[in-house]
Amino acid sequence: QVQLAESGGGLVQAGGSLRLSCAASGSCFSINTMGWYRQAPGNQRELVAAITSGGSTDYADSVKGRFTISRDNAKNTVYLQMNSLKPEDTAVYYCNARCRDRYLVERLYWGQGTQVTVSS
């Protein structure tokens, strides 16, 4: 089993910054893509940013230039630096990881989510 533990959410004023962290632990032989998604009330979960083990990144248009995803492969941890936050960034943020076990079977795991609230 693999566990993803998120941290770093909270309440911040518009224009402020937050840094989310997500650490993977458990029986992962290797981790391919790690990502951050978010879900606001009444909305579907949407991709925020993703990063491969090689460092290639992908961002939602709404966060380009404001958010930066990074990862520390040695620590199996992914980060999301969020700057110039807007009220519309308010959501529960979830991390995920595509984990391969020793038989190279890949499974997708999700964290429990961390609340980010941006006040105007």
Side-chain angles (χ1 to χ4, degrees):
Q1 273 293 1
V2 175
Q3 295 79 39
L4 300 179
E6 299 129 329
S7 61
L11 173 64
V12 65
Q13 288 189 332
S17 298
L18 283 174
R19 188 188 193 217
L20 306 183
S21 299
C22 173
S25 61
S27 54
C28 238
F29 182 73
S30 65
I31 299 179
N32 190 1
T33 301
M34 301 184 80
W36 289 96
Y37 285 69
R38 67 187 180 188
Q39 188 168 18
N43 291 354
Q44 290 187 336
R45 193 173 295 189
E46 61 176 4
L47 172 70
V48 176
I51 184 167
T52 68
S53 57
S56 297
T57 59
D58 186 28
Y59 294 94
D61 288 342
S62 59
V63 306
K64 284 180 180 177
R66 299 188 298 122
F67 292 9
T68 302
I69 190 169
S70 61
R71 66 189 281 175
D72 184 332
N73 289 330
K75 296 181 179 180
N76 288 338
T77 300
V78 63
Y79 307 96
L80 186 67
Q81 178 66 43
M82 304 185 293
N83 299 329
S84 302
L85 282 160
K86 304 175 181 179
E88 50 264 43
D89 294 318
T90 295
V92 178
Y93 283 69
Y94 299 89
C95 73
N96 71 7
R98 293 192 176 275
C99 171
R100 286 197 185 104
D101 62 21
R102 58 182 175 175
Y103 304 107
L104 302 184
V105 175
E106 186 174 278
R107 293 183 177 90
L108 180 65
Y109 295 90
W110 289 90
Q112 291 190 331
T114 184
Q115 177 70 45
V116 171
T117 303
V118 184
S119 62
S120 57

